[in-house]
């Protein structure tokens, strides 16, 4: 996929940007480079490659994200928190309707 100058003008208009013709030409080049890179990435065979939590983990494991066990660490204090609420029902906060 590649863009033309009319596409860049339309994008600039939608984004409420005022660009000079030089800026539009430069933006066109940059956007087309981004699309070309995306096409190159789509062509890469990733069959059998295990997804990583962070790409740098493959090269530097010490920088990988450290994940913790997903466990409850606090007691349920819903009733205490809701004592100051103007209105509750079945453990939920009651608020005025804002969408008709």
């Amino acid at each position: 996929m590649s863009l033309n100058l009319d596409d860049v003008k339309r994008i600039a208009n939608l984004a409420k940007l005022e660009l000079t013709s030089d800026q539009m030409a430069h933006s066109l080049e940059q956007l087309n480079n981004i699309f070309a890179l995306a096409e190159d990435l789509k062509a890469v065979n990733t069959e059998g490659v295990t997804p990583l939590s962070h790409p740098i983990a493959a090269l530097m494991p010490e920088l990988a994200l450290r994940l913790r066990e997903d466990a409850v660490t606090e007691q349920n204090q819903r009733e205490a928190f809701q004592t100051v609420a103007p209105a509750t029902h079945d453990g939920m906060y009651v608020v005025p309707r804002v969408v008709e």
Side-chain angles (χ1 to χ4, degrees):
M1 176 180 185
S2 68
L3 300 177
N4 58 39
L5 205 52
D6 290 334
D7 295 325
V8 174
K9 288 178 184 177
R10 183 170 180 270
I11 292 168
N13 182 43
L14 290 172
K16 305 291 185 208
L17 298 174
E18 291 183 21
L19 301 176
T20 65
S21 58
D22 289 342
Q23 290 172 324
M24 283 190 198
H26 183 68
S27 297
L28 175 63
E29 181 182 346
Q30 288 183 323
L31 288 169
N32 281 330
N33 287 342
I34 291 169
F35 286 130
L37 177 62
E39 290 297 321
D40 289 346
L41 290 174
K42 283 173 48 176
V44 174
N45 181 9
T46 59
E47 188 69 31
V49 176
T50 306
L52 300 171
S53 61
H54 197 282
I56 197 79
L59 301 174
M60 303 174 74
E62 67 274 9
L63 295 180
L65 296 177
R66 288 160 184 83
L67 303 177
R68 62 174 171 80
E69 182 182 342
D70 188 15
V72 176
T73 59
E74 296 181 10
Q75 293 181 3
N76 182 359
Q77 299 181 35
R78 178 185 293 179
E79 290 181 20
F81 293 145
Q82 290 186 341
T83 57
V84 296
T88 61
H89 179 70
D90 291 334
M92 303 290 184
Y93 294 96
V94 177
V95 297
R97 180 180 292 251
V98 294
V99 178
E100 296 298 326

